[in-house]
């Protein structure tokens, strides 16, 4: 038509294609009438105006209702109302944008909203009730490379332009300024949103990550901070309803002419279908509109790239403990908790994705098959995973169908053979010493115990609910108390003061507190936490009354059979840590109102202040004092040492974590009063206290706890400090004779065997803690020159440390080292550490002496990993107050030791030697040459790869390449070893070679071809080598063309041929013993093979010949060959 051929006006910039948002049919005709203009929530004047009733209603509707529901409810919606609903549907809180663009976003001083409360409009917000964190996020500091910080910079520098909001779709361009290495580039960004949540994002930068890129952040913040500058239009379907036929035709023709290369084929296809009366498109009323908001059935959740979550977790797991992958996974767990705290449904969704990848970790099957335990870092990650699932299922407002779905999924994971167990093992780590004794029932008891996986507690938590009326009153009211006339006699609901109690299994009760806190109900968590502490107080006093009636009998026996089989410290649910964190969080003083986006800076120690307990009758209680009290109760609880290395190690580690948190508290008069009161109760607590007069033989020792109590009490109550520390010095498990323990519990009845100890794997650590406690008391006593105290602890003098006694102790230690050198003992490691500490106390000459005569005292591994490393530590230098020549003398001795150990045992000492020699060029070169010389004889590929990665990390990529090449010569990867642990090292070595340049890549490819016969691994290497140009590492003095490498030329041609050959050989090997249930997997394998074949010039011919050969050779496998013909012809 003539109208379509006229002169075109200037073409606007083409925005990105709309992301796949809700595309529901839109039918309702638009109302007529003028638009409302700028909303009253954003006046041009500097004075605030109260929000109109229209805006108040539109905000509520925009946050809670899908727009389709609004359209169904009202036949006609005035255009001003539509505009305000669309306007308020965009997210209003920058914290939510920050949460999806950085790790661990936390606003200082934040407590989160309480149940049933609404944040007042205008409180800490810009006009219109939109939260403003400009001051918070604009602060300079670490973390500037994070997407959120970068997005703020782009916004503040005016890089966001062409912002347009059409219905529920926001678009714009973000200009990335030029840098030294990159030119200026403009990215087109598109965002879809619904009910104050971003539902999809698209950016031209091609970002592939869990988090939104900086350009999406910049556009989002522009819309939040400058809404009055954003052009706002109703959904495009509303605009089209207002056009007549000529206007619609003109719009379509102009659109096609402006972008004919992109949309013409699609436009013609749609036209053909519309003109066909029988087409599918004509069977549907209306037409889709991606700008019209969500439909009623759509999930209302923030955009989360599930595939990227899977890939990131898989990548971190594959890296093991290298490059801080454990820290990254912990950050992802923290992100889940943050989402839960914001009551974001993606928290459970993200945790499900993480768990799926954890369960798919190939190392689980390997560890189970080999009967070996996983590393401590992995066990800790699994512990956190299990605890997070307990939080998820205890969500106080989750629906029953959600909980049923989670329970089903948890059971599915828990039923898998590879699912890790709660105690960290796949079975008994070591045979128990009593298993061979006929009178012991321990072996049978161990077999009879139910299998408890890391998900078991979460499954049990699915049976818990929040409907109990007493519980509801506790968490919903600060002033819930019993009437005065009902306080006579005992009650299960209230204590004698009328305060509410919550009688429940303590870890379970604390799990409820953690769930409330994690799901954004901090005040409710505090109320329940206080009720639990009141319950523990009441139980503590009742136990003390019971002990007073049994004291005489128990003291005569000297031992008790009463104890807690389940301790609170080291428990999988960490009840004490949970209560302590909940109570101290509300007492924390923040330096400023800065937003923490998970930067890598060192965290500052917390500063606390007293906050009165809400609803306390006398007003004398403080949350900080309660936190100290509950920590002391938990640490002082008498409990039996659990079985298994991991469970025992966890007890020790949890003790140290709690003590570290307690040491961060500055003790004032109120806290000292709480400390003294609880210390006295623990001393008088009988068999229920680990510091009582009588304890169970296998009770967990109190040395670590007592050391803290001693140091904290010493300035305030010296007698109590020493009395308590002396009580804690005992270690009854080492007594070979004496009354037996709890015979009623054969599970802990190992003490029935005379002169045998239970399997306390951490006994060496416990003895060292006992020594540290004794040393702390001795040092404090000598510093105070207290003769009476010294006599009390059997110390011969009151002078400063006696150098003669120290030398005697050192000589005894040296003799023990010599005697046990050839017959290594499991307690030697602790003894080596003690010896170095003792030598440090004696002085510089003693340290130099043991370094120079190391070969008579230590193994090479002990000498490098413990002795030299400790001597070279910053703490040792400070302790000795050495001048520069003395430091150099000590360092020279340590380097000489390292080189000697590396010569003697390069497999175990080479990496330690390199680390110790880093600051001396000649020594470092010597250590490196030792590695090169040993590489061809005694070192394995895994050791060489580890050292090669170290070299790259230290900035020696060429040396890393050389070591990686040597490692490749020791490796042999068969065709079916596609989950071999060395695959990551091979991929890394190839990536390193590729980054160095074409020559290095050409050198390593023959080694890869010779060592690796697995087709999928070879194809992965080939794909990575063709994606980017070689030489990106930028080695000085080299020039790189920047061109992608061709698979038709060397060196990739050799790799391509080897990959094709591997696919052919693997295919024949798999077909030799293939079963029908593997046919589908085999067809997919051939599809991957075809992708590799097609990289060659005549690849399609080769692949066709290969398929024909298969059909000829294996024509007896008729069903399989039929599937091959269907897929490949």
């Amino acid at each position: 038509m003539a109208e379509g051929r006229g002169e075109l006006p200037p073409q606007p910039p083409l925005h990105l294609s709309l992301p796949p948002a809700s595309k529901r049919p839109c039918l309702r005709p638009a109302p007529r009438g003028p638009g409302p203009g700028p909303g009253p929530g954003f006046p041009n004047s500097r004075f605030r105006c109260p929000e109109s009733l229209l805006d108040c209603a539109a905000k509520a509707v925009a946050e809670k209702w899908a727009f389709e529901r609004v359209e169904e409810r009202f036949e006609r919606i005035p255009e001003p109302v539509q505009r305000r609903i669309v306007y308020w549907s965009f997210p209003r809180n920058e914290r939510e944008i920050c949460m999806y663009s950085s790790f661990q976003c936390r606003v200082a001083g934040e407590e989160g909203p309480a149940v049933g409360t609404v944040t007042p409009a205008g409180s800490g917000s810009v006009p219109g009730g939109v939260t403003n964190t400009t001051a918070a996020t604009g602060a300079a500091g670490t973390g500037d490379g994070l997407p959120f910080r970068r997005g703020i910079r782009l916004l503040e520098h005016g890089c966001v332009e062409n912002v347009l909001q059409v219905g529920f779709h926001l678009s714009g361009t973000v200009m990335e300024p030029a840098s030294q290495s990159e030119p200026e580039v403009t990215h087109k960004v598109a965002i879809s949103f619904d009910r104050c949540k971003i539902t999809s994002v698209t950016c031209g930068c091609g970002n592939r990550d869990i988090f939104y890129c900086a350009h999406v952040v910049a556009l989002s913040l522009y819309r939040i901070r400058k809404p009055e500058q954003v052009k706002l239009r109703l959904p495009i379907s509303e605009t089209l309803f207002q056009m007549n036929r000529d206007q619609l035709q003109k719009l379509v023709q102009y659109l096609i002419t402006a972008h004919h290369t992109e949309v013409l084929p699609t436009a013609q296809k749609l036209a053909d279908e519309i003109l066909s009366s029988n087409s599918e498109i004509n069977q549907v009323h209306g037409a889709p509109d991606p700008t019209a908001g969500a439909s009623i059935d759509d999930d209302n959740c923030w955009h989360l790239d599930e595939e990227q979550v899977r890939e990131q977790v898989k990548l971190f797991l594959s890296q093991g403990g290298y490059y801080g992958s454990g820290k990254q996974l912990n950050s992802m767990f923290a992100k889940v908790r943050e989402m839960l705290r914001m009551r974001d449904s993606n928290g459970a969704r993200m945790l499900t994705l993480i768990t799926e990848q954890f369960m798919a970790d190939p190392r689980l099957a390997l560890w189970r098959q080999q009967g070996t335990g996983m590393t401590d870092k992995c066990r800790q990650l699994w512990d956190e995973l299990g605890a997070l699932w307990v939080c998820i299922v205890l969500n106080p407002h989750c629906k029953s169908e959600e909980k049923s779905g989670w329970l089903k999924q948890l059971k599915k994971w828990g039923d898998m053979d590879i699912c890790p167990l709660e105690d960290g093992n796949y079975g008994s780590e070591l045979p128990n010493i009593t298993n061979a004794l006929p009178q012991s029932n321990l072996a049978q008891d161990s077999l009879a115990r139910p299998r408890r996986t890391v998900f078991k507690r979460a499954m049990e938590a699915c049976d818990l609910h929040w409907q109990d009326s007493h519980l509801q009153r506790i968490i919903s009211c600060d002033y819930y108390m019993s009437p005065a006339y009902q306080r006579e006699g005992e009650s299960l609901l209230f204590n004698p003061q009328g305060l509410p109690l919550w009688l429940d299994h303590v870890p379970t009760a604390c799990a409820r507190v953690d769930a409330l806190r994690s799901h954004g109900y901090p005040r409710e968590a505090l109320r329940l936490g206080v009720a639990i502490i009141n319950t523990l107080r009441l139980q503590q006093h009742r136990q003390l009354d019971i002990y007073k009636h049994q004291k005489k009998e128990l003291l005569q026996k000297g031992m008790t059979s009463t104890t807690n089989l389940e301790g609170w410290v080291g428990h999988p649910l960490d009840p004490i840590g949970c209560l302590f964190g909940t109570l101290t969080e509300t007492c924390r003083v923040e330096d400023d109102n800065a937003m923490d986006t998970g930067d890598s800076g060192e965290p500052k120690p917390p500063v606390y202040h007293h906050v009165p307990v809400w609803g306390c009758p006398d007003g004398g209680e403080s949350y900080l004092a309660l936190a100290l009290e509950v920590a002391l109760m938990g640490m002082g609880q008498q409990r039996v040492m659990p079985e298994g290395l991991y469970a025992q190690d966890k007890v020790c580690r949890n003790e140290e974590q709690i003590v570290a948190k307690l040491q961060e508290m500055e003790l004032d008069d109120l806290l000292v009063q709480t400390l003294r009161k609880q210390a006295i109760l623990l001393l008088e607590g009988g068999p229920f206290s680990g510091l009582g007069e009588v304890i169970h033989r296998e009770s967990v020792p109190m040395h670590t706890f007592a050391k803290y109590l001693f140091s904290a009490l010493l300035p305030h109550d010296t007698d109590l400090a020493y009395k308590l520390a002396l009580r804690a010095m005992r270690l009854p498990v080492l007594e070979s004779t004496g009354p037996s323990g709890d015979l009623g519990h054969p599970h802990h009845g190992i003490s029935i065997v005379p002169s045998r100890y239970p399997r306390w794997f951490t006994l060496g650590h416990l003895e060292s803690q006992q020594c540290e406690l004794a040393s702390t008391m001795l040092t404090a006593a000598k510093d105070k020159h207290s003769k009476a105290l010294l006599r009390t602890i059997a110390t011969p003098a009151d002078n400063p440390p006696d150098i003669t006694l120290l030398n005697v102790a050192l000589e005894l230690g040296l003799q023990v080292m010599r005697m046990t050198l050839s017959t290594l003992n499991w307690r030697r490691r602790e003894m080596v550490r003690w010896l170095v500490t003792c030598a440090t106390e004696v002085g510089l000459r003693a340290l130099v002496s043991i370094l120079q005569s190391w070969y008579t005292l230590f193994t090479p591994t002990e000498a490098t990993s413990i002795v030299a490393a400790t001597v070279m530590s910053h703490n040792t230098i400070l302790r000795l107050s050495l001048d520069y020549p003395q430091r150099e003398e000590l360092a020279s001795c340590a380097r000489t030791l390292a080189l000697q150990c590396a010569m003697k045992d390069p497999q175990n000492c080479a990496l330690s030697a390199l680390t110790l020699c880093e600051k001396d060029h000649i020594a470092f070169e010597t250590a490196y040459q030792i590695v090169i010389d040993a590489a061809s004889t005694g070192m394995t590929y895994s050791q060489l790869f580890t050292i090669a990665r170290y070299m790259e990390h230290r900035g020696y990529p060429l040396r890393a390449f050389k070591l990686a090449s040597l490692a490749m010569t020791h490796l042999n990867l068969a065709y079916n070893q596609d989950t071999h642990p060395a695959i990551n090292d091979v991929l890394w070595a190839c990536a390193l070679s590729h980054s160095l340049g074409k020559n290095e890549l050409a050198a390593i490819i023959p080694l890869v071809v010779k060592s690796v016969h697995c087709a999928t691994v070879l194809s992965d290497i080939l794909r990575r080598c063709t994606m980017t140009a070689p030489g990106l590492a930028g080695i000085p003095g080299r020039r790189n063309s920047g061109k992608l490498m061709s698979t038709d030329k060397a060196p990739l041609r050799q790799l391509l041929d080897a990959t094709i050959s591997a696919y052919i050989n693997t295919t024949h090997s798999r077909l030799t013993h293939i079963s029908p249930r593997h046919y589908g997997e085999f067809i997919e394998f051939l599809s991957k093979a075809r992708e590799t074949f097609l990289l060659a010039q005549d690849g399609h011919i080769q692949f066709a010949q290969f398929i024909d050969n298969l059909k000829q050779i294996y024509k007896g496998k008729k069903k399989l060959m039929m599937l091959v013909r269907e897929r490949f012809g």
Side-chain angles (χ1 to χ4, degrees):
M1 295 180 66
E3 299 93 297
R5 298 195 207 58
E7 224 175 276
L8 291 174
Q11 297 182 16
L14 173 64
H15 290 283
L16 290 177
S17 60
L18 302 183
S22 171
K23 297 183 180 180
R24 57 184 180 80
C26 297
L27 297 168
R28 186 184 50 77
R32 304 293 179 179
F42 291 91
N44 294 326
S45 68
R46 60 189 179 91
F47 298 105
R48 286 287 311 280
C49 294
E51 286 185 344
S52 67
L53 183 58
L54 170 60
D55 273 302
C56 291
K59 283 173 70 174
V61 170
E63 187 173 359
K64 300 296 183 184
W65 281 26
F67 196 63
E68 185 182 19
R69 184 181 293 277
V70 180
E71 292 177 322
E72 287 184 354
R73 179 73 181 271
F74 305 100
E75 184 177 348
R76 291 180 59 83
I77 306 173
E79 186 173 327
V81 176
Q82 288 193 59
R83 282 181 175 273
R84 300 318 291 166
I85 293 175
V86 169
Y87 173 86
W88 287 113
S89 291
F90 195 83
R92 310 162 201 167
N93 194 334
E94 291 189 10
R95 282 177 52 242
E96 295 172 323
I97 307 299
C98 180
M99 181 169 69
Y100 279 91
S101 55
S102 59
F103 276 125
Q104 299 178 19
C105 165
R106 181 184 60 81
V107 176
E110 169 196 359
E111 286 190 7
V115 174
T117 62
V118 178
T119 305
S123 175
S125 62
V126 298
V130 180
T131 303
N132 183 9
T133 56
T134 307
T137 56
T142 54
D144 286 346
L146 294 168
F148 188 74
R149 296 287 187 188
R150 288 179 51 228
I152 290 175
R153 285 205 306 274
L154 291 172
L155 175 62
E156 292 174 345
H157 292 167
C159 298
V160 183
E161 296 177 340
N162 303 319
V163 182
L164 174 66
Q165 179 178 340
V166 180
F168 297 85
H169 178 267
L170 183 72
S171 62
T173 58
V174 180
M175 185 266 293
E176 188 79 58
S179 63
Q180 294 180 350
S181 58
E182 297 290 339
E184 178 183 300
V185 61
T186 299
H187 300 293
K188 298 168 184 175
V189 185
I191 299 174
S192 291
F193 52 92
D194 169 47
R195 285 167 276 180
C196 299
K197 294 180 176 69
I198 291 176
T199 54
S200 68
V201 298
T202 307
C203 180
C205 70
N207 172 65
R208 299 292 293 167
D209 199 354
I210 297 175
F211 299 124
Y212 301 163
C213 65
H215 315 109
V216 171
V217 171
L219 180 60
S220 302
L221 296 185
Y222 186 98
R223 172 60 178 79
I224 292 175
R225 296 184 182 183
K226 304 176 182 180
E228 71 282 356
Q229 298 180 23
V230 177
K231 297 176 184 177
L232 177 63
R233 301 288 186 269
L234 291 178
I236 193 68
S237 55
E238 300 288 347
T239 305
L240 296 178
F241 274 129
Q242 299 177 28
M243 295 183 180
N244 58 33
R245 182 189 180 282
D246 291 341
Q247 290 172 323
L248 288 170
Q249 182 168 356
K250 182 176 288 189
L251 172 67
V252 172
Q253 288 186 227
Y254 269 104
L255 181 62
I256 293 173
T257 305
H259 310 298
H260 62 277
T261 56
E262 292 93 350
V263 303
L264 184 57
T266 304
Q268 185 60 56
K269 178 184 177 183
L270 291 174
D272 292 342
E273 291 188 13
I274 290 173
L275 292 174
S276 173
S277 59
N278 297 325
S279 65
E280 183 179 349
I281 200 171
N282 285 321
Q283 307 303 316
V284 179
H285 294 286
D289 179 2
T291 69
S295 67
I296 297 173
D297 298 329
D298 287 346
D299 290 332
N300 181 224
C301 59
W302 284 79
H303 169 71
L304 180 70
D305 192 332
E306 295 189 0
E307 186 58 34
Q308 279 304 304
V309 174
R310 293 189 187 97
E311 288 299 321
Q312 292 279 359
V313 177
K314 186 177 181 180
L315 175 65
F316 294 146
L317 287 173
S318 69
Q319 290 174 344
Y322 192 65
Y323 281 156
S325 57
K327 182 179 179 182
Q328 296 292 337
L329 288 168
N330 276 318
S331 295
M332 295 185 78
F333 288 147
K335 179 58 63 179
V336 171
R337 285 192 179 272
E338 184 186 350
M339 289 175 173
L340 297 180
R341 190 168 62 249
M342 297 287 286
R343 303 174 199 171
D344 187 336
S345 60
N346 278 340
R349 183 174 158 210
M350 185 170 177
L351 186 62
T352 301
L353 297 172
I354 293 172
T355 309
E356 287 172 352
Q357 293 307 308
F358 265 67
M359 292 300 297
D361 188 349
R363 293 177 298 174
L364 292 178
L366 187 64
W367 285 326
R368 177 176 174 79
Q369 182 181 4
Q370 295 177 349
T372 56
M374 62 178 70
T375 63
D376 284 346
K377 286 185 178 179
C378 284
R379 284 170 168 171
Q380 291 167 31
L381 290 170
W382 277 100
D383 282 349
E384 177 64 13
L385 191 69
L388 270 173
W389 273 113
V390 174
C391 265
I392 293 286
V393 302
L394 279 179
N395 181 353
H397 291 297
C398 75
K399 299 175 183 176
S400 57
E401 55 267 24
E402 283 182 310
K403 187 176 286 190
S404 298
W406 291 331
L407 178 59
K408 183 178 179 181
Q409 184 63 66
L410 290 167
K411 285 182 177 178
K412 178 182 175 183
W413 289 327
D415 289 340
M416 297 172 68
D417 291 339
I418 59 172
C419 185
L421 304 184
E422 190 176 71
D423 62 2
N425 312 311
Y426 283 113
S428 300
E429 294 188 358
L430 291 171
N432 200 291
I433 56 173
T434 59
N435 284 359
L437 300 176
Q439 68 269 36
S440 172
N441 294 322
L442 185 62
Q444 291 84 347
D445 184 65
S446 178
L447 291 173
R449 275 178 281 154
R451 179 175 178 267
R452 292 190 63 87
T453 68
V454 291
F455 302 117
K456 185 64 175 178
R457 292 188 187 269
M459 287 188 270
E460 292 170 346
C462 289
D463 295 330
L464 301 177
H465 61 81
W466 297 86
Q467 278 72 48
D468 184 272
S469 59
H470 181 59
L471 176 62
Q472 285 293 320
R473 292 189 182 99
I474 289 174
I475 65 177
S476 61
C477 180
D478 289 326
Y479 300 96
Y480 176 43
M481 298 179 66
S482 66
Y485 64 86
Q486 293 182 359
R487 297 178 189 174
E488 297 297 328
E490 292 192 2
S491 169
L492 296 177
L493 301 181
F494 301 93
N495 68 5
Q497 291 76 40
L499 297 174
L501 306 174
W502 182 244
L503 292 170
D504 197 354
H505 178 237
V506 173
T508 303
C510 294
R512 288 184 183 271
V513 174
D514 191 29
L516 287 169
R517 178 186 174 202
S518 298
H519 287 280
Y521 304 106
R523 192 151 184 168
E524 289 75 4
L526 280 172
R527 290 167 182 153
L528 182 56
V530 171
I532 294 171
I533 293 172
N534 287 330
T535 308
L536 293 178
R537 283 173 169 174
L538 186 61
Q539 290 176 347
Q540 189 179 47
H541 284 92
R542 288 178 177 173
Q543 289 169 353
L544 188 58
D545 291 340
I546 294 171
Y547 170 61
K548 287 177 181 178
H549 292 91
Q550 301 175 346
K551 185 174 181 179
K552 184 176 180 180
E553 178 187 350
L554 288 171
L555 288 176
Q556 288 176 347
K557 291 171 60 178
M559 194 76 68
T560 179
S561 61
T562 305
T563 187
N564 296 285
L565 296 179
E566 184 180 49
W568 301 333
V569 175
H571 192 279
L573 297 178
D574 189 19
I576 301 303
C578 163
L579 281 181
F580 185 87
T582 302
L583 294 164
T584 54
E585 188 176 52
T586 196
C587 303
R588 188 164 178 158
V589 178
E590 302 292 350
D591 293 337
D592 51 27
N593 195 30
M595 183 178 289
D596 176 11
T597 52
D599 49 64
S600 57
E602 286 295 322
K604 296 179 182 179
V607 179
Y608 300 111
H609 69 119
H610 287 286
V611 176
V613 175
W614 296 315
C616 183
D618 55 5
E621 292 276 28
S622 154
Y623 286 115
L624 195 60
L626 288 183
L628 175 62
E629 186 176 357
V630 77
L632 299 177
M633 283 184 183
M635 292 281 285
Q637 177 206 29
Q638 187 188 167
R639 64 239 181 226
V640 164
M641 179 68 79
E643 289 188 350
L645 170 59
Y646 178 60
Q648 293 175 15
D649 179 67
K650 192 173 179 181
V651 168
C652 299
R653 189 169 60 246
N654 197 199
E655 275 186 343
E656 292 166 358
Q657 290 168 349
I658 296 174
V659 166
K661 291 177 181 177
L662 290 173
Q663 289 171 338
E664 292 174 343
M665 299 175 70
E666 187 175 340
L667 298 178
D668 57 17
D669 291 343
L670 179 57
L671 295 182
V672 170
Q673 181 183 346
T674 303
L675 187 69
R676 290 186 73 254
K677 177 183 176 183
Q678 194 57 227
I680 293 170
L681 285 172
L682 289 172
L683 282 172
E684 298 174 352
F688 302 98
S689 164
L691 293 168
E693 291 182 86
V694 288
I695 59 172
H696 190 275
R697 181 172 177 254
E698 295 175 33
S699 179
V700 174
M702 296 282 116
H703 306 133
T704 303
F705 179 42
K707 183 183 173 185
Y708 163 76
L709 289 176
F710 177 80
S711 301
L713 284 169
L714 192 63
H716 310 286
D717 193 334
T718 305
D719 290 339
L720 180 59
Y722 274 97
K723 184 178 180 181
L724 194 146
L726 287 169
R727 176 74 62 79
M729 277 297 295
R730 60 199 171 188
L731 192 55
V733 74
L734 293 182
E735 298 172 7
S736 58
T737 60
S740 74
D742 186 4
L743 298 180
H745 297 275
H747 188 56
H748 296 280
I750 301 176
S751 56
I752 62 174
V753 185
S755 302
R756 294 207 181 216
Y757 303 144
R759 299 209 69 86
W760 280 30
F761 300 92
T762 55
L763 193 56
H765 170 79
L766 297 173
E767 288 181 304
S768 70
Q769 292 298 308
Q770 186 186 39
C771 292
E772 284 192 27
L773 176 58
S775 175
T776 302
M777 286 193 291
L778 283 166
T779 304
K782 290 182 179 181
D783 289 343
K784 287 182 174 291
H785 303 288
S786 171
K787 294 181 180 179
L789 288 172
L790 288 173
R791 283 196 298 270
T792 302
I793 52 179
T795 308
D798 62 349
N799 296 321
D802 190 331
I803 194 66
T804 304
L805 291 176
L806 282 173
N807 276 306
V808 170
L810 179 62
E811 285 301 321
L812 287 171
L814 293 174
Q815 184 60 26
V816 171
M817 290 291 99
R818 295 186 191 99
M819 291 171 63
T820 59
L821 181 59
S822 57
T823 56
L824 296 181
N825 186 283
W826 64 277
R827 292 173 62 183
R828 256 185 70 91
R829 190 176 184 87
E830 294 296 331
M831 189 65 188
V832 171
R833 293 186 186 280
W834 176 87
L835 187 69
V836 177
T837 303
C838 187
T840 304
E841 294 292 330
V842 172
L844 175 65
R845 290 298 103 203
L847 288 176
V848 171
S849 175
I850 65 172
L851 289 174
Q852 291 175 342
S853 59
W854 69 267
Y855 46 87
T856 64
L857 303 169
F858 316 109
T859 66
T861 305
E862 291 171 345
T864 52
S865 63
I866 302 178
V867 180
T870 306
V871 168
M872 292 290 287
S873 69
H874 185 62
N875 289 338
T876 303
I877 303 299
L878 290 178
R879 175 76 175 167
L880 294 173
S881 302
L882 302 179
D883 56 25
Y884 181 77
Q886 290 174 325
R887 289 201 299 269
E888 280 302 300
E889 179 185 8
L890 199 60
S892 176
C893 290
R895 288 193 292 267
T896 302
L897 175 150
L899 293 175
Q900 291 172 347
C901 292
M903 288 287 291
K904 190 170 184 180
D905 186 4
Q907 295 92 336
N908 298 313
C909 301
L911 184 57
S912 298
L914 286 166
T915 306
L916 290 166
C917 296
E918 278 181 351
K919 295 183 180 179
D920 186 277
H921 177 70
I922 297 176
F924 188 83
E925 291 294 325
T926 306
Y928 173 70
Q929 194 56 47
I930 291 172
V931 175
I932 296 297
D933 294 340
S936 59
T937 54
M939 301 190 74
T940 65
Y941 65 83
S942 60
Q943 293 166 338
L944 290 170
F945 274 129
T946 301
I947 298 174
R949 286 180 183 258
Y950 162 83
M951 282 294 183
E952 185 201 27
H953 186 62
R954 301 305 301 168
Y956 299 103
L958 292 175
R959 293 185 176 183
F961 167 75
K962 185 172 183 179
L963 288 167
S965 301
L966 291 170
M968 289 296 300
T969 62
H970 294 270
L971 179 64
N972 184 25
L973 215 61
Y975 77 95
N976 57 350
Q977 292 182 298
D978 53 355
T979 59
H980 195 281
I983 290 175
N984 284 324
D985 289 322
V986 173
L987 295 176
W988 167 82
C990 293
L992 173 66
S993 308
H994 187 268
S995 69
L996 291 175
K998 187 175 180 180
N999 293 336
E1000 284 74 10
L1001 187 61
I1004 205 166
I1005 280 179
L1007 300 176
V1008 172
V1009 170
K1010 184 178 180 181
S1011 302
V1012 179
H1013 307 289
C1014 181
T1016 53
V1017 177
L1018 290 172
S1019 63
D1020 194 5
I1021 296 170
L1022 183 63
R1023 179 182 59 82
R1024 295 179 185 218
C1025 290
T1026 56
M1027 289 176 64
T1028 57
L1032 296 181
I1035 301 300
R1038 293 192 182 182
R1039 296 183 60 189
N1040 297 299
S1041 64
K1043 295 181 179 179
L1044 296 177
M1045 299 181 67
S1046 171
T1047 55
D1048 295 321
K1049 299 178 181 178
L1052 294 188
R1053 179 66 193 187
Q1054 182 183 1
L1055 181 58
L1056 175 60
D1057 292 340
T1059 307
I1060 291 174
S1061 177
Y1063 268 116
I1064 293 173
N1065 293 335
T1066 304
T1067 300
H1068 289 297
S1069 298
R1070 294 182 67 167
L1071 284 172
T1072 305
H1073 303 289
I1074 192 168
S1075 63
R1077 72 171 184 269
H1078 294 135
Y1079 282 177
E1081 180 185 342
F1082 177 77
I1083 295 299
E1084 293 303 320
F1085 176 78
L1086 286 182
S1087 298
K1088 293 180 181 178
R1090 178 169 59 181
E1091 294 173 4
T1092 303
F1093 273 76
L1094 294 179
L1095 292 176
Q1097 279 190 348
D1098 58 341
H1100 62 288
I1101 299 175
Q1102 289 188 49
F1103 186 76
Q1105 292 174 347
F1106 173 51
I1107 294 297
D1108 289 338
N1109 288 339
L1110 289 182
K1111 289 188 285 189
Q1112 184 63 32
I1113 296 172
Y1114 302 99
K1115 57 186 178 182
K1117 301 181 184 292
K1118 295 180 180 180
K1119 184 176 179 181
L1120 178 58
M1121 291 303 110
M1122 181 185 69
L1123 294 174
V1124 170
R1125 287 191 195 92
E1126 288 177 356
R1127 178 67 70 91
F1128 307 105

